[in-house]
Amino acid sequence: RVQPGIEGRGKHVAAEAVIPAKAVREVLKAEPLRIARLNVAKNLLGSALAGSIGGFNAHASNLVTAVFLACGQDPAQNVESSQCITTIEAVPTPDGDHDLRIACTMPSVECGTVGGGTALPAQAACLRMLGVAGAADPPGENAAQLARVICATVLCGELSLMSALSSNHLISAHLALNRRPAAPAAD
């Protein structure tokens, strides 16, 4: 649906980070140029070829759903709230290397900090931990901050998944850790 992106339903948020090349290699075990190329192929071209409207990302809906459930949000709002464009580019450095710039733009995150599931004990505790529980002054500021937290969470998830995909770590981790064939039953 295009309406939320045009008319501004929910909160419009963006998050951006520049990750130094050394951190990309040592922490994410990936290469900045490979991640940037994968983003074009998967998130931009792949999503366009699939007919996506507002979903040019690797898996924003997984992260949105996780935060929604943890913070007492309506999971039915995931569809519009997960609209996200992820951009990733390799940024040249003076020494000839490339840092990694990642940004997520989400035009319609529908969230709140008052009412509904936000009063459930575990969900209220999560909102308190994030410093956004209940009403704020000015009104809506806690919900706006929660939307920013959601967008930052999506950015981190996008960075992690795209790094793993670009270096073939995702499939090797699945095979090594949790996609093993079942052991034969003992007689």
Side-chain angles (χ1 to χ4, degrees):
R1 294 180 40 205
V2 178
Q3 176 192 357
I6 293 171
E7 295 181 6
R9 185 170 164 163
K11 282 105 181 120
H12 186 280
V13 289
E16 177 181 17
V18 176
I19 316 299
K22 182 178 179 182
V24 173
R25 290 188 183 99
E26 293 179 5
V27 177
L28 299 172
K29 310 293 188 224
E31 288 295 322
L33 289 168
R34 288 186 69 171
I35 298 170
R37 283 194 300 266
L38 177 63
N39 186 68
V40 171
K42 180 189 184 337
N43 289 346
L44 304 181
L45 295 175
S47 295
L49 290 171
S52 180
I53 297 176
F56 292 80
N57 60 78
H59 70 147
S61 65
N62 292 336
L63 288 309
V64 171
T65 298
V67 177
F68 270 27
L69 294 176
C71 294
Q73 305 305 298
D74 181 356
Q77 300 306 317
N78 175 292
V79 175
E80 291 175 354
S81 296
S82 293
Q83 290 186 27
C84 175
I85 296 177
T86 298
T87 57
I88 301 175
E89 63 182 318
V91 180
T93 60
D95 64 359
D97 205 351
H98 291 85
D99 291 338
L100 192 71
R101 180 191 164 277
I102 180 169
C104 290
T105 303
M106 303 177 74
S108 57
V109 177
E110 298 179 22
C111 62
T113 59
V114 177
T118 65
L120 296 170
Q123 286 72 11
C126 285
L127 292 170
R128 282 192 305 276
M129 179 180 67
L130 294 171
V132 297
D137 187 21
E141 183 53 35
N142 280 352
Q145 180 63 17
L146 179 58
R148 291 189 286 272
V149 167
I150 291 167
C151 190
T153 302
V154 168
L155 182 141
C156 293
E158 293 284 285
L159 177 62
S160 177
L161 179 58
M162 294 301 287
S163 297
L165 286 172
S166 73
S167 57
N168 294 319
H169 291 149
L170 183 70
I171 189 68
S172 63
H174 275 84
L175 291 172
L177 301 173
N178 71 345
R179 299 288 194 245
R180 298 180 189 152
D187 290 331

